[in-house]
Amino acid sequence: MSLELDGPIAIATLCRPPVNAVNDEWVARLDEILDQVEADERIGVLWIRSSSRVFCAGADLEFMRARLFTEEGRVRMIDFTRAMQDVYARLERLGVVSVAEIGGAALGGGFELALACDLRIVADSAKVGLPEARLGLLPAAGGTQRLTRLCGKGVASRLILGAEIIDGTEAVALGLAHWSVPAEQLPAAARALAERIAQLPRAALAASKPCICAAADGGCDGFEAELAGSSRLLAQVETQQRVRRFLENKP
């Protein structure tokens, strides 16, 4: 996984051919990238994409084969899955907006990565899903939780219990993704999206994210979160300057 900085946009490119399969090193590298993005206050958007047609096909099969058939190996698999949960949760909490550009297959742990992002833009021909039940498994890197919060129990049950894989157009219709475009238009559309969001103040985006999450969390008072976030933003010089310019331009 490589990282390129383009002004306020950090571009993380999945580049582990042939299918960007997930293993220990992959997870550790994503964690390192989040360190870099978090530490650089110039960055407002993390754009995650792939260098190949496949976005990410999930866990590395050789990695699984080496661990599945012994008790010690299965314990290590659970530790690995917990590490995936942790890094995806960190991505979800990141103080910048994360955008997943999905041009091809995003399955299992690969789609769980996309679900941890704030925004998803997909090619209409892309294939996405959580088909772990076909192997007698479940999507345990946060897939059951994020998909249910995102689309509701009915859609999550359909896709997870049916091990269903759908295309980008249906992913948007069901609420799994935000935009679907023809595959040849996807890179330009994803860049335009990242550039538009990158023009917004990082502090405002960072303050908005936990408020959005609070709406889905019955244990949080989202209204108080709005007030606390607003209080911090009102004290920001950038906020004051933007509001002043807005008021001065009003007739």
Side-chain angles (χ1 to χ4, degrees):
M1 196 180 305
S2 65
L3 182 65
E4 173 191 353
L5 300 184
D6 183 5
I9 301 172
I11 306 169
T13 302
L14 308 180
C15 50
R16 185 170 186 257
V19 295
N20 295 318
V22 182
N23 62 7
D24 285 321
E25 292 77 19
W26 189 102
V27 172
R29 177 58 180 151
L30 178 57
D31 208 36
E32 289 175 358
I33 285 174
L34 297 184
D35 281 339
Q36 292 177 255
V37 171
E38 209 165 44
D40 192 336
E41 295 185 357
R42 299 169 298 176
I43 296 172
V45 175
L46 173 61
W47 171 14
I48 300 178
R49 58 188 306 277
S50 171
S51 63
S52 63
R53 291 179 58 190
V54 174
F55 178 75
C56 178
D60 185 291
L61 299 182
E62 290 303 319
F63 178 86
M64 292 180 63
R65 186 177 290 114
R67 289 161 174 76
L68 185 61
F69 302 107
T70 67
E71 184 173 351
E72 178 186 358
R74 290 190 290 272
V75 170
R76 291 175 64 193
M77 278 297 297
I78 293 299
D79 291 341
F80 166 68
T81 307
R82 181 175 288 110
M84 289 178 67
Q85 283 188 351
D86 290 344
V87 76
Y88 289 174
R90 187 179 176 198
L91 171 61
E92 190 173 42
R93 295 191 304 266
L94 196 66
V96 307
V97 175
S98 51
V99 175
E101 174 198 331
I102 305 171
L107 303 173
F111 191 50
E112 287 172 308
L113 167 66
L115 288 173
C117 291
D118 298 304
L119 300 170
R120 287 162 293 283
I121 181 167
V122 299
D124 51 12
S125 58
K127 300 298 182 184
V128 305
L130 299 173
E132 282 87 344
R134 297 181 187 183
L135 301 178
L137 299 170
L138 63 86
T144 65
Q145 303 306 295
R146 290 193 178 91
L147 189 62
T148 304
R149 290 202 304 261
L150 187 66
C151 302
K153 182 175 180 290
V155 171
S157 296
R158 167 186 160 177
L159 296 178
I160 295 171
L161 303 183
E164 190 172 349
I165 297 172
I166 60 176
D167 64 25
T169 301
E170 189 166 14
V172 172
L174 292 177
L176 279 70
H178 300 85
W179 301 274
S180 172
V181 299
E184 64 274 12
Q185 298 176 18
L186 180 63
R191 175 170 289 280
L193 173 63
E195 289 176 347
R196 176 169 63 83
I197 295 171
Q199 295 174 8
L200 303 173
R202 171 171 167 159
L205 301 176
S208 296
K209 286 182 58 169
C211 294
I212 294 169
C213 291
D217 184 350
C220 293
D221 187 335
F223 298 100
E224 283 301 320
E226 289 178 347
L227 295 175
S230 294
S231 178
R232 292 192 299 272
L233 291 172
L234 288 170
Q236 293 264 340
V237 172
E238 182 179 13
T239 296
Q240 294 170 12
Q241 291 173 339
R242 282 175 174 259
V243 172
R244 181 178 292 113
R245 287 197 298 268
F246 174 76
L247 294 175
E248 289 173 351
N249 289 332
K250 279 294 185 181

